Amino acid sequence: MVEVLIQKIKENCTNVDLDVVNKAFNLAFEAHKEQKRESGEPYIIHPIDVAIILAELGMDTSTIVAGLLHDVIEDTDYTYEDIKNIFSEEIANLVGGVTKITKMEYKSKEEQQADNFRKMLLAMANDIRVIIIKLADRLHNMRTLKYMPKEKQKRISKETLDIYAPIAHRLGISKVKWELEDLCFRYLHEEEYYDLVNQIAEKRVERETYIAKTIEDLYGKLEESGIDSDIDGRPKHFYSIYRKMVTKNKSIEQIFDLTAIRILVNSVKDCYEVLGIVHTIYKPIPGRFKDYIAMPKPNMYQSLHTTVIGPQGKTFEIQIRTFEMHKTAEYGIAAHWKYKEGDTSDSKEKTFENKLAWLRDMLEWQKETSDAQEFMEGFKINLFTDEIFLFTPKGVVIDLPNGATPIDFAYRIHTDIGNKCVGAKVNGKIVPLDYQLKTGQIVEILTSNSSKGPNMDWLNIAKSNQAKSKIRAWFKKAKKEENITKGKEVFERELKKQGVHYADIAKGESYDKFIKRYNINCMDDLYALVGLGAIVASSFILKLKEESLSKDEKTKEENLNKAIEENISKTEKRKKENNYGVTVRGEDNLMVRFAKCCNPVPGDDILGYITKGRGVSIHRKDCSNLQNLIEEDPQKVVDVAWGVAKGVAYMAEIQVKTEDIPGVLSNIMNVIMESKLPLNALNAKSAKSNLAYVNIKVKIDTIEQLKELMRKIRKLTGVMDVYRMNN
């Protein structure tokens, strides 16, 4: 199985250590040997195919190895430390990063979704290769999605189209982006997908013949001009065609570029020379020429696009770019590893850093906003929206998100220009500040030294995060006294409402991070941020309160454990085993019973508590009832340990937290039946927010049986958590 991977590495990669790759394959093969995919195939096929995709992108040794190992921490007994010791910290960090993204729950709730995207941003910032591995993982999962239930196909496809395809686009990896979009289209709009496939297939032979003849003519003309070139015909991707039909309300006959002819040449000079030749052979359609060489797309894509009328009056698109531009267009950020060939020069690294400038801007901006809705809007603008290119009166190119206004333009030039902005001209004509700018326009900002500065309406007009941040900064500085008064009132009211004193909760790791992040040196700084709206008082106080309470509980627990240890050390004598497989230290001939509140089983950490007339009650150490009993009388605690059971079966109770969706209960029942554990009771109930809880009681011999059952249930569709019950 690994032979195909090795062959792909040899074809596409440079300086990859094949010994390390083989070592990773052997570990992954051993770790996943008992696992199967939904298709029934051995699980190892998935990590191998993920590694093959990474090899096709030309990634480095660490990335390919992490692709092979990307599921071992999540799905097997191997840990982060194991991977670090066997391979390296770099590879362990990549695998760990992918695991964290995989565990993210895709939900419609704004707060949860915002938190997920923040985590993804941080993972990308720490090492962009993490998200490239995740994209390869998602691509292979989409390729094998046909084995999943219909409902899961749609859910995964929507998540992919909303999140992962746009990320692939932003990173410039069109090779992955187009395939993800077409696969999502197939599962989300099955009828439209196959209808479009059939429409395109009807005239495919005729179209291919036409394109082949056109390519032959172009080759002849370019050879006459002495230009070396590589020309081919590229069919448009189905989702791209479908989106044009929907957004522009056109039929397939009205789509010009079902097929594009791509011309690759050696230099930028050749690109423009070829464009001139093309326009002398074929008549260009006005308004259909785009120069992405002079003004590259945000993902560094460069090419000349022109739509022309060819022989027989048929229209088609021609794309002209250099071979180097084509590599970047196909592989995007991955081309950094694919084509650097050991070149670590400053110019290469600077180019790489420039490609990630948008990511750094987003990270800076996300630190400044705590509002989930605002963050999500900004995230989508930065990641999903195309950009427009504008000119200053002196010809400097300014790029802004689509839908940007003169306010965005002003703040992009300079903060002072934005703060003093009183109007704008576009192509020499006065326009309102909420005017939506378009690519190619010349924008002039009108300023006045007597300007009172921005007003709050500008926050709704501005589209770029940069402009919004600078507007807020102005209000923060200009209205600090007002914000302090307002913020103090809100903050103190919230403290009273939650029943806490600030001095009692202003401590801990969260507090230290908070004051460092917002540069808070005194209470006035805090009140000003609350008054401005940069900090939500209720959520901030609640977070500090919860952390403070958890620390108090920890101290209380440590004191209780100390009292227990002291009592056990006083009574430590010999061990006496009983029929329940438990030894009681210090006492003979005592009855032993298992507490029903926590149902301890072999393998749990346990303690005994002497009761009146009922012998020793055995509890799990983390049992809340036991903690209450210890507080009353710690002298009754005795040390106990598991011995050899004599034909005893133990009752264990777990609770499953799941989405309230059809089929989830039957899936849980199937797992229990497959485990062959005796089922004592099962109770299911619905809750708010489309949730359900399933309580299960089973008889087991060892804690390992219970852990295995919980692990299998946790993997089911819709299941959010599985945990032991402790009444």
mmCIF file of all heavy atoms in Angstrom, residues 37-55:
data_model
loop_
_atom_site.group_PDB
_atom_site.id
_atom_site.type_symbol
_atom_site.label_atom_id
_atom_site.label_comp_id
_atom_site.label_asym_id
_atom_site.label_seq_id
_atom_site.Cartn_x
_atom_site.Cartn_y
_atom_site.Cartn_z
ATOM 1 N N ARG A 37 -13.123 1.436 7.989
ATOM 2 C CA ARG A 37 -13.860 2.641 7.571
ATOM 3 C C ARG A 37 -15.312 2.265 7.293
ATOM 4 O O ARG A 37 -15.674 1.090 7.278
ATOM 5 C CB ARG A 37 -13.237 3.243 6.308
ATOM 6 C CG ARG A 37 -11.796 3.683 6.500
ATOM 7 C CD ARG A 37 -11.426 4.753 5.496
ATOM 8 N NE ARG A 37 -11.855 6.074 5.938
ATOM 9 C CZ ARG A 37 -12.196 7.051 5.121
ATOM 10 N NH1 ARG A 37 -12.194 6.864 3.822
ATOM 11 N NH2 ARG A 37 -12.562 8.229 5.593
ATOM 12 N N GLU A 38 -16.157 3.287 7.049
ATOM 13 C CA GLU A 38 -17.567 3.047 6.752
ATOM 14 C C GLU A 38 -17.730 2.155 5.519
ATOM 15 O O GLU A 38 -18.686 1.407 5.398
ATOM 16 C CB GLU A 38 -18.293 4.382 6.512
ATOM 17 C CG GLU A 38 -18.437 5.250 7.755
ATOM 18 C CD GLU A 38 -19.515 4.755 8.691
ATOM 19 O OE1 GLU A 38 -20.350 3.948 8.267
ATOM 20 O OE2 GLU A 38 -19.508 5.168 9.868
ATOM 21 N N SER A 39 -16.779 2.236 4.597
ATOM 22 C CA SER A 39 -16.838 1.435 3.367
ATOM 23 C C SER A 39 -16.508 -0.024 3.620
ATOM 24 O O SER A 39 -16.701 -0.865 2.746
ATOM 25 C CB SER A 39 -15.852 2.001 2.335
ATOM 26 O OG SER A 39 -14.528 1.921 2.844
ATOM 27 N N GLY A 40 -15.988 -0.321 4.816
ATOM 28 C CA GLY A 40 -15.565 -1.691 5.123
ATOM 29 C C GLY A 40 -14.094 -1.922 4.849
ATOM 30 O O GLY A 40 -13.549 -2.976 5.191
ATOM 31 N N GLU A 41 -13.422 -0.934 4.245
ATOM 32 C CA GLU A 41 -12.005 -1.064 3.941
ATOM 33 C C GLU A 41 -11.173 -0.881 5.213
ATOM 34 O O GLU A 41 -11.621 -0.244 6.164
ATOM 35 C CB GLU A 41 -11.582 0.004 2.922
ATOM 36 C CG GLU A 41 -12.245 -0.134 1.566
ATOM 37 C CD GLU A 41 -11.879 1.025 0.649
ATOM 38 O OE1 GLU A 41 -11.756 2.163 1.149
ATOM 39 O OE2 GLU A 41 -11.711 0.786 -0.551
ATOM 40 N N PRO A 42 -9.943 -1.409 5.226
ATOM 41 C CA PRO A 42 -9.049 -1.164 6.377
ATOM 42 C C PRO A 42 -8.838 0.328 6.558
ATOM 43 O O PRO A 42 -8.669 1.074 5.589
ATOM 44 C CB PRO A 42 -7.748 -1.862 5.962
ATOM 45 C CG PRO A 42 -8.155 -2.870 4.949
ATOM 46 C CD PRO A 42 -9.325 -2.286 4.216
ATOM 47 N N TYR A 43 -8.818 0.802 7.799
ATOM 48 C CA TYR A 43 -8.725 2.237 8.088
ATOM 49 C C TYR A 43 -7.430 2.852 7.553
ATOM 50 O O TYR A 43 -7.403 4.025 7.180
ATOM 51 C CB TYR A 43 -8.824 2.480 9.595
ATOM 52 C CG TYR A 43 -9.035 3.938 9.927
ATOM 53 C CD1 TYR A 43 -10.317 4.473 10.000
ATOM 54 C CD2 TYR A 43 -7.950 4.797 10.130
ATOM 55 C CE1 TYR A 43 -10.516 5.815 10.276
ATOM 56 C CE2 TYR A 43 -8.145 6.138 10.405
ATOM 57 C CZ TYR A 43 -9.420 6.639 10.476
ATOM 58 O OH TYR A 43 -9.620 7.972 10.733
ATOM 59 N N ILE A 44 -6.367 2.058 7.495
ATOM 60 C CA ILE A 44 -5.063 2.569 7.086
ATOM 61 C C ILE A 44 -5.093 3.208 5.697
ATOM 62 O O ILE A 44 -4.273 4.068 5.368
ATOM 63 C CB ILE A 44 -3.991 1.446 7.131
ATOM 64 C CG1 ILE A 44 -2.585 2.014 6.904
ATOM 65 C CG2 ILE A 44 -4.305 0.352 6.126
ATOM 66 C CD1 ILE A 44 -2.118 2.963 7.957
ATOM 67 N N ILE A 45 -6.080 2.812 4.878
ATOM 68 C CA ILE A 45 -6.199 3.381 3.527
ATOM 69 C C ILE A 45 -6.393 4.904 3.604
ATOM 70 O O ILE A 45 -5.876 5.644 2.764
ATOM 71 C CB ILE A 45 -7.370 2.711 2.768
ATOM 72 C CG1 ILE A 45 -6.973 1.281 2.387
ATOM 73 C CG2 ILE A 45 -7.752 3.507 1.524
ATOM 74 C CD1 ILE A 45 -8.063 0.480 1.732
ATOM 75 N N HIS A 46 -7.136 5.364 4.618
ATOM 76 C CA HIS A 46 -7.400 6.812 4.738
ATOM 77 C C HIS A 46 -6.129 7.614 4.980
ATOM 78 O O HIS A 46 -5.826 8.542 4.213
ATOM 79 C CB HIS A 46 -8.437 7.065 5.831
ATOM 80 C CG HIS A 46 -8.624 8.512 6.154
ATOM 81 N ND1 HIS A 46 -9.101 9.429 5.242
ATOM 82 C CD2 HIS A 46 -8.375 9.214 7.296
ATOM 83 C CE1 HIS A 46 -9.144 10.629 5.808
ATOM 84 N NE2 HIS A 46 -8.704 10.525 7.048
ATOM 85 N N PRO A 47 -5.338 7.313 6.038
ATOM 86 C CA PRO A 47 -4.106 8.114 6.226
ATOM 87 C C PRO A 47 -3.131 8.008 5.067
ATOM 88 O O PRO A 47 -2.425 8.979 4.759
ATOM 89 C CB PRO A 47 -3.502 7.551 7.522
ATOM 90 C CG PRO A 47 -4.224 6.305 7.820
ATOM 91 C CD PRO A 47 -5.558 6.384 7.168
ATOM 92 N N ILE A 48 -3.087 6.854 4.381
ATOM 93 C CA ILE A 48 -2.200 6.732 3.217
ATOM 94 C C ILE A 48 -2.660 7.681 2.112
ATOM 95 O O ILE A 48 -1.852 8.393 1.511
ATOM 96 C CB ILE A 48 -2.165 5.278 2.703
ATOM 97 C CG1 ILE A 48 -1.360 4.400 3.658
ATOM 98 C CG2 ILE A 48 -1.542 5.210 1.310
ATOM 99 C CD1 ILE A 48 -1.332 2.945 3.268
ATOM 100 N N ASP A 49 -3.979 7.707 1.851
ATOM 101 C CA ASP A 49 -4.486 8.591 0.791
ATOM 102 C C ASP A 49 -4.313 10.069 1.146
ATOM 103 O O ASP A 49 -4.080 10.899 0.264
ATOM 104 C CB ASP A 49 -5.958 8.277 0.502
ATOM 105 C CG ASP A 49 -6.119 7.046 -0.370
ATOM 106 O OD1 ASP A 49 -5.154 6.685 -1.066
ATOM 107 O OD2 ASP A 49 -7.192 6.416 -0.355
ATOM 108 N N VAL A 50 -4.432 10.396 2.424
ATOM 109 C CA VAL A 50 -4.175 11.775 2.857
ATOM 110 C C VAL A 50 -2.712 12.140 2.583
ATOM 111 O O VAL A 50 -2.408 13.218 2.062
ATOM 112 C CB VAL A 50 -4.496 11.944 4.366
ATOM 113 C CG1 VAL A 50 -3.976 13.290 4.885
ATOM 114 C CG2 VAL A 50 -6.000 11.844 4.597
ATOM 115 N N ALA A 51 -1.808 11.214 2.908
ATOM 116 C CA ALA A 51 -0.378 11.452 2.661
ATOM 117 C C ALA A 51 -0.099 11.571 1.160
ATOM 118 O O ALA A 51 0.754 12.363 0.736
ATOM 119 C CB ALA A 51 0.446 10.324 3.276
ATOM 120 N N ILE A 52 -0.802 10.796 0.344
ATOM 121 C CA ILE A 52 -0.629 10.868 -1.119
ATOM 122 C C ILE A 52 -1.049 12.252 -1.636
ATOM 123 O O ILE A 52 -0.367 12.855 -2.477
ATOM 124 C CB ILE A 52 -1.441 9.752 -1.817
ATOM 125 C CG1 ILE A 52 -0.751 8.396 -1.596
ATOM 126 C CG2 ILE A 52 -1.588 10.036 -3.312
ATOM 127 C CD1 ILE A 52 -1.544 7.202 -2.083
ATOM 128 N N ILE A 53 -2.171 12.773 -1.128
ATOM 129 C CA ILE A 53 -2.616 14.116 -1.528
ATOM 130 C C ILE A 53 -1.550 15.149 -1.159
ATOM 131 O O ILE A 53 -1.230 16.047 -1.941
ATOM 132 C CB ILE A 53 -3.966 14.467 -0.859
ATOM 133 C CG1 ILE A 53 -5.075 13.573 -1.421
ATOM 134 C CG2 ILE A 53 -4.314 15.946 -1.068
ATOM 135 C CD1 ILE A 53 -6.385 13.648 -0.656
ATOM 136 N N LEU A 54 -0.982 15.019 0.033
ATOM 137 C CA LEU A 54 0.074 15.942 0.470
ATOM 138 C C LEU A 54 1.319 15.802 -0.400
ATOM 139 O O LEU A 54 1.989 16.798 -0.705
ATOM 140 C CB LEU A 54 0.419 15.681 1.942
ATOM 141 C CG LEU A 54 -0.700 16.000 2.943
ATOM 142 C CD1 LEU A 54 -0.358 15.465 4.327
ATOM 143 C CD2 LEU A 54 -0.953 17.501 3.012
ATOM 144 N N ALA A 55 1.623 14.575 -0.796
ATOM 145 C CA ALA A 55 2.765 14.355 -1.691
ATOM 146 C C ALA A 55 2.511 14.989 -3.056
ATOM 147 O O ALA A 55 3.419 15.557 -3.672
ATOM 148 C CB ALA A 55 3.034 12.858 -1.831
#
